[in-house]
Amino acid sequence: MRSVRVLGAAVAAVLLVAGGAAGAGAAQEPEADLAYHGAASLTSGQVDLRFTPRNHGPSAVPDATVRLRWSEPLAVRQELPGGCARSGARAVLCRVGALAADEAGERIALRVQLRKEPSEVRLEIDTVWSSGAVDRNPDNDRQRVLILDTGDAYYF
């Protein structure tokens, strides 16, 4: 019976130490709240997009990547700015760079050509990498924008 109590006490001690270590690790995770605000327009199958990333904190983010996905396929040839790369038939990834806590980052601007000339296109924006920072409010770093072929700017 004594060995069962000793074994039980040892298991309890291991669980307590492991739980404390997990709790300590979770407390050290950097936390950031990324968001994107800007405007997009569509004219004859060409989308002009400009937006500014923002980190609402509380921790800085050493680097981040944003994904831009369109509901229509992109034309085969694209001229993308530095830091942006094609990711499939309908998506582009752009490096956001470092974002200090409670600061705006560098503005990102690009123009993409769609394969066809639709009357509307849906753009989805979301963070795909944030250097391991935890975002407890991911809703504001995901945007969905319906852009009509009017040449008007649609803000998000």
Side-chain angles (χ1 to χ4, degrees):
M1 190 62 152
R2 177 172 153 61
S3 62
V4 171
R5 278 185 276 178
V6 170
L7 179 61
V11 168
V14 167
L15 289 174
L16 183 62
V17 169
Q28 294 177 4
E29 290 177 327
E31 183 179 342
D33 185 14
L34 303 180
Y36 306 98
H37 301 288
S41 63
L42 172 62
T43 305
S44 301
Q46 192 168 66
V47 180
D48 285 312
L49 173 64
R50 60 192 182 281
F51 63 95
T52 303
R54 182 167 185 83
N55 177 8
H56 294 285
S59 299
V61 174
D63 203 359
T65 302
V66 65
R67 176 177 42 209
L68 312 167
R69 285 185 289 190
W70 286 268
S71 59
E72 295 289 328
L74 301 172
V76 174
R77 295 185 64 95
Q78 299 290 328
E79 290 187 32
L80 299 172
C84 292
R86 186 88 178 254
S87 175
R90 300 172 190 247
V92 171
L93 299 174
C94 291
R95 181 175 183 257
V96 171
L99 294 170
D102 204 27
E103 296 270 332
E106 294 292 322
R107 181 175 160 199
I108 297 172
L110 64 143
R111 177 177 289 163
V112 296
Q113 184 67 46
L114 302 174
R115 194 172 297 159
K116 297 180 181 175
E117 294 184 14
S119 60
E120 65 183 39
V121 67
R122 186 182 68 246
L123 169 64
E124 295 179 1
I125 303 170
D126 65 325
T127 303
V128 292
W129 185 68
S130 59
S131 302
V134 175
D135 189 343
R136 301 206 194 286
N137 182 21
D139 292 335
N140 65 348
D141 72 326
R142 295 181 190 135
Q143 298 281 349
R144 287 191 177 137
V145 184
L146 180 63
I147 312 162
L148 304 179
D149 186 4
T150 61
D152 295 328
Y154 292 86
Y155 294 89
F156 55 91

